[in-house]
């Protein structure tokens, strides 16, 4: 349990929030949301003690342990993977270290024996004899193979270190758990493992994430940082989003009678309460929603970018043909082989692989930026494409301002280009910022504005939600569902895939799996699971 009383956080003259009074209780998972810069990570840092609050107190339940997902991926480079995970339970780790030091003494005294007995008792109480096996189970669940468990952390890749840090945070069943973007760099299978793990977690969890499906799957409550305040609502992200949109529509509809508004809100709560029964976090969320007061539902101040893809021309029947394509990485790794498929009109295809470099290689090849080791591809004569690469670094190696930068990719005057930038929430003096100082999220919004200039009838998107906030992801997602052209994309966002794709193609070194179905159906199919196991 975590109790926050009269909390205020201020940096100079800027007040992030004040008068925050919240209680986070056992058995609940709280999804923390808010616009970029609202103070989501700051709240978690204040709770962990990493950041000192301006005012107020934060307390844990008596004797409770707090665990935090570390963002420093180099801190444990001098340690083994196994030890790094076990350090997550500092009390147990300290006992193990002291116990080992005592037994290593050459002049072991009677006092040492008494102390060793005390430590052994505490060690047993904390289930220390299963410490390594428990750590190994977590590591394996998170995709860290057994042959890496006793390697040094310095020998692991960045993505592997992220998983070890997550195992460290989960280790030892902490009473309170703080997770800041835990799904970053996890593949879709591992995200599902984490969803299942947290669904059975009996203590208190606060999680910041841009993954809407993950928030929906695990959250019993939503903590919204808005209006310079921190408010808690029953329900997951989708409930918060839909309810805030409904409240906004009602606020704009001045003619609607109060009784009609109340009836609409009550029906909305009933619908979401019924849907909650399908979630992994069922009972508590359903009860909370049933008790929710309609007055608690308010419109948000969030701004959503205007992501609107339109087509200059209707595509013909011939979209893209790929035959026997093969790609090999620089280190000799076969990314995919014997890849053949034909894109039909109206299809929105998600490409999957255990190796994300496979999708990037495919997109680079069909956009003419990379040579394939074998095979051919051919675009239809009516097809125009707009490509969003996963790495946009080279586009921003310039001292141009945003208007000058965007004008490179289309024809028109400054007012025309400012209109596209305005859609992407760049307004006023912001359009005169130099592009080489933009944040990752700002660069992505510029790249999306660049794509919109093309009015293409086929979009190629390599991990399009990277660096975007929830509002931008939601706007992007909503538009792609309505877009009439073809979409070829890769993504780690479950909700994005499920609501956009109508076909799944999985790339493997031994060929491909190609199914005309929705993503949820694909991952639930036992036949496909067996096929996938043979393909890697």
């Amino acid at each position: 349990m975590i109790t926050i009383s009269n909390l205020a956080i201020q940096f100079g003259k800027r007040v992030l929030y004040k008068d925050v009074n919240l209680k986070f209780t056992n058995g609940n998972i709280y999804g923390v949301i808010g616009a970029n810069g609202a103070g989501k990570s700051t709240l978690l840092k204040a709770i962990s003690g990493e950041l000192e609050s301006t005012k107020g107190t934060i307390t844990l339940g008596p004797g409770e342990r707090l665990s935090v997902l570390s963002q420093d991926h180099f801190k444990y480079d001098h340690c083994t993977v196994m030890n790094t995970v076990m350090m997550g339970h500092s009390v147990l780790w300290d006992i193990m270290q002291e116990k080992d030091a005592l037994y290593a003494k050459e002049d072991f005294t009677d006092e040492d024996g008494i102390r060793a007995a005390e430590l052994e008792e505490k060690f047993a109480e904390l289930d220390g004899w299963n410490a390594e096996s428990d750590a190994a189970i977590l590591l394996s669940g998170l995709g860290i193979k057994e042959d890496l468990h006793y390697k040094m952390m310095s020998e692991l890749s960045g993505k592997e270190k992220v998983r070890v840090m997550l195992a460290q945070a989960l280790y030892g069943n902490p009473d309170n758990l703080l997770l800041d973007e835990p799904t970053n760099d996890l593949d879709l299978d591992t995200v599902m493992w984490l969803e299942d793990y947290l669904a059975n977690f009996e203590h208190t969890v606060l999680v910041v994430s841009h993954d809407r499906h993950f928030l929906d799957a695990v959250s019993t409550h939503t903590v919204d940082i808005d209006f310079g305040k921190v408010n808690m609502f029953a329900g997951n992200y989708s409930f918060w989003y839909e309810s805030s949109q409904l409240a906004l529509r009602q606020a704009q509809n001045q003619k609607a009678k109060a009784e009609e508004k109340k009836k609409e809100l009550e029906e909305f709560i009933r619908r979401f309460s019924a849907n909650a029964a399908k979630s992994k976090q069922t009972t508590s969320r359903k009860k909370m929603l049933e008790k929710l007061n309609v007055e608690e539902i308010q419109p948000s101040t969030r701004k959503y970018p205007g992501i609107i893809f339109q087509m200059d021309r209707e595509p013909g029947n011939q979209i893209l043909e790929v035959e026997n394509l093969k790609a090999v990485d620089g280190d000799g790794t076969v990314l995919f082989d014997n890849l053949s498929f034909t894109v039909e009109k109206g299809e929105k295809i998600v490409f999957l692989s255990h190796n994300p470099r496979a999708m990037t290689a495919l997109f680079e090849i069909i956009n003419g930026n990379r040579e394939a080791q074998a095979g051919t591809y051919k675009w239809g004569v009516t097809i125009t494409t707009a490509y969003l690469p996963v790495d946009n670094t080279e586009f921003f190696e310039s001292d141009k301002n945003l208007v000058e930068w965007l004008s490179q990719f289309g024809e028109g005057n400054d007012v025309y280009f400012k209109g596209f930038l305005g859609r992407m929430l760049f307004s006023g003096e912001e359009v005169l910022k130099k592009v080489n100082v933009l944040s990752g999220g700002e660069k992505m919004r510029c790249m999306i504005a660049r794509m919109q200039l093309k009015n293409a009838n086929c979009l190629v998107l390599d991990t399009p939600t990277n660096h975007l906030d929830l509002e931008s992801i939601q706007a992007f997602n909503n538009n792609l569902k309505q877009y009439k052209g073809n979409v070829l994309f890769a993504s780690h966002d479950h909700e994005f895939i499920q609501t956009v794709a109508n076909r799944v193609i999985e790339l493997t070194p031994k060929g491909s799996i190609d199914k005309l179905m929705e993503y949820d159906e694909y991952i639930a199919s036992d036949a496909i699971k067996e096929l996938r196991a043979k393909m890697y």
Side-chain angles (χ1 to χ4, degrees):
M1 183 174 71
I2 301 170
T3 304
I4 297 177
S5 303
N6 299 317
L7 180 72
I9 294 181
Q10 182 173 345
F11 297 106
K13 294 183 178 180
R14 186 188 175 209
V15 178
L16 272 185
Y17 27 76
K18 60 182 180 179
D19 300 325
V20 179
N21 291 280
L22 296 170
K23 182 176 283 189
F24 304 105
T25 56
N26 281 356
N28 289 313
I29 299 181
Y30 302 85
V32 183
I33 64 171
N36 281 353
K40 303 183 293 294
S41 297
T42 301
L43 179 63
L44 266 58
K45 287 178 181 177
I47 294 171
S48 70
E50 182 182 343
L51 176 76
E52 188 175 346
S53 59
T54 308
K55 181 184 175 184
T57 60
I58 299 171
T59 57
L60 305 181
E64 290 188 347
R65 187 167 70 87
L66 176 71
S67 184
V68 182
L69 175 59
S70 174
Q71 303 297 321
D72 185 350
H73 301 153
F74 301 99
K75 181 178 179 180
Y76 300 93
D77 274 0
H78 61 289
C79 304
T80 66
V81 170
M82 182 62 70
N83 285 350
T84 299
V85 175
M86 292 193 294
M87 285 177 188
H89 194 329
S90 58
V91 176
L92 176 60
W93 178 253
D94 289 345
I95 289 172
M96 292 169 68
Q97 294 304 102
E98 186 180 351
K99 191 160 66 80
D100 290 346
L102 279 175
Y103 290 140
K105 289 178 67 175
E106 293 183 5
D107 55 340
F108 193 83
T109 66
D110 289 343
E111 288 182 0
D112 291 334
I114 293 170
R115 179 58 181 163
E118 292 173 352
L119 292 171
E120 289 290 3
E121 185 178 355
K122 292 178 182 177
F123 183 74
E125 287 175 0
L126 294 172
D127 200 22
W129 297 111
N130 292 317
E132 288 200 17
S133 61
D134 289 346
I137 290 169
L138 279 174
L139 287 166
S140 297
L142 287 164
I144 301 296
K145 296 179 180 178
E146 286 186 20
D147 59 355
L148 296 177
H149 289 189
Y150 293 92
K151 295 273 190 183
M152 300 300 291
M153 285 289 286
S154 57
E155 299 179 62
L156 270 57
S157 68
K159 291 186 177 181
E160 288 168 338
K161 286 182 179 180
V162 167
R163 294 167 188 238
V164 176
M165 291 295 94
L166 184 52
Q168 183 193 69
L170 300 176
Y171 182 71
N173 199 26
D175 303 290
N176 302 283
L177 181 58
L178 306 182
L179 301 174
D180 194 349
E181 296 292 356
T183 63
N184 278 3
D185 293 317
L186 300 185
D187 60 29
L188 289 160
D189 290 334
T190 311
V191 172
M192 285 190 283
W193 178 92
L194 183 58
E195 288 175 3
D196 288 334
Y197 184 91
L198 291 178
N200 296 305
F201 193 74
E202 297 178 351
H203 302 299
T204 306
V205 184
L206 272 73
V207 57
V208 173
S209 178
H210 288 154
D211 186 327
R212 296 161 300 156
H213 183 275
F214 177 74
L215 287 177
D216 279 352
V218 304
S219 298
T220 58
H221 298 72
T222 296
V223 178
D224 179 36
I225 303 178
D226 201 1
F227 302 101
K229 297 180 180 179
V230 184
N231 292 306
M232 185 190 297
F233 301 96
N236 57 17
Y237 172 78
S238 286
F239 179 81
W240 172 86
Y241 174 73
E242 296 291 347
S243 63
S244 66
Q245 292 296 299
L246 174 58
L248 181 61
R249 289 194 299 272
Q250 288 196 341
Q252 293 169 342
N253 185 6
Q254 300 296 330
K255 295 181 180 179
K257 295 179 181 177
E259 194 60 35
E260 291 175 358
K261 289 183 179 182
K262 184 176 180 181
K263 186 177 180 180
E264 184 180 14
L265 286 167
E266 288 174 340
E267 175 56 35
F268 169 79
I269 292 170
R270 275 195 295 273
R271 177 165 58 84
F272 261 87
S273 181
N275 288 341
K278 301 173 185 176
S279 169
K280 293 171 183 172
Q281 294 282 352
T282 53
T283 308
S284 58
R285 184 185 303 156
K286 189 172 188 295
K287 288 180 179 177
M288 288 290 181
L289 293 183
E290 287 170 346
K291 295 177 182 177
L292 188 63
N293 189 329
V294 295
E295 279 74 27
E296 292 183 38
I297 298 179
Q298 295 182 357
S300 169
T301 63
R302 304 282 207 286
K303 291 183 179 179
Y304 292 82
I307 300 178
I308 305 168
F309 292 109
Q310 298 174 320
M311 303 185 298
D312 270 344
R313 90 185 271 188
E314 184 77 16
N317 292 325
Q318 195 173 27
I319 311 298
L320 173 66
E321 291 183 2
V322 170
E323 291 188 10
N324 300 318
L325 216 58
K326 179 179 181 179
V328 178
D329 218 352
D331 61 2
T333 302
V334 177
L335 299 174
F336 54 82
D337 199 2
N338 298 316
L339 177 62
S340 298
F341 62 88
T342 300
V343 179
E344 303 293 341
K345 193 172 180 179
E347 285 186 332
K348 296 176 180 177
I349 306 173
V350 62
F351 292 86
L352 308 177
S353 176
H354 284 179
N355 189 341
R357 291 179 296 176
M359 285 84 78
T360 296
L362 173 62
F363 296 153
E364 287 288 295
I365 289 168
I366 64 176
N367 279 281
N369 300 330
R370 174 174 174 163
E371 291 291 326
Q373 271 61 48
T376 61
Y377 70 92
K378 182 181 179 181
W379 289 101
V381 294
T382 63
I383 303 305
T384 54
T385 62
Y387 177 38
L388 184 67
V390 68
D391 183 2
N392 57 39
T393 306
E394 65 180 50
F395 287 90
F396 297 95
E397 294 172 347
S398 163
D399 61 356
K400 289 181 168 62
N401 65 41
L402 269 62
V403 177
E404 293 168 339
W405 181 86
L406 191 58
S407 66
Q408 299 174 103
F409 307 110
E411 296 181 0
N413 56 29
D414 284 2
V415 174
Y416 176 72
F417 294 116
K418 284 179 180 178
F420 280 91
L421 291 168
R423 285 187 196 174
M424 300 310 298
L425 306 182
F426 294 108
S427 59
E429 295 297 313
E430 282 188 314
V431 299
L432 301 178
K433 286 172 69 171
K434 303 294 186 183
V435 296
N436 55 13
V437 300
L438 297 177
S439 68
E442 289 172 328
K443 288 177 180 177
M444 281 295 285
R445 284 189 276 133
C446 284
M447 293 295 288
I448 295 169
R450 171 182 173 269
M451 290 183 71
Q452 291 179 82
L453 286 174
K454 295 195 169 189
N455 291 331
N457 53 29
C458 182
L459 307 179
V460 183
L461 310 170
D462 193 351
T463 326
T465 60
N466 271 9
H467 303 294
L468 293 180
D469 57 21
L470 278 168
E471 291 70 46
S472 298
I473 293 170
Q474 190 75 57
F476 208 157
N477 199 166
N478 289 347
N479 183 253
L480 287 187
K481 288 191 286 187
Q482 307 301 322
Y483 178 67
K484 301 299 182 184
N486 288 93
V487 183
L488 312 180
F489 72 104
S491 178
H492 296 306
D493 188 311
H494 187 127
E495 184 74 10
F496 202 90
I497 297 172
Q498 171 60 19
T499 55
V500 173
N502 52 25
R503 181 178 173 186
V504 179
I505 298 179
E506 185 158 2
L507 313 177
T508 84
K510 298 179 182 178
S512 62
I513 306 170
D514 189 343
K515 298 294 180 181
L516 195 65
M517 59 174 59
E518 291 185 344
Y519 178 66
D520 280 349
E521 183 183 357
Y522 183 85
I523 60 175
S525 168
D526 290 334
I528 291 174
K529 287 176 186 176
E530 291 178 11
L531 183 57
R532 293 178 78 200
K534 296 175 183 177
M535 298 293 279
Y536 287 99

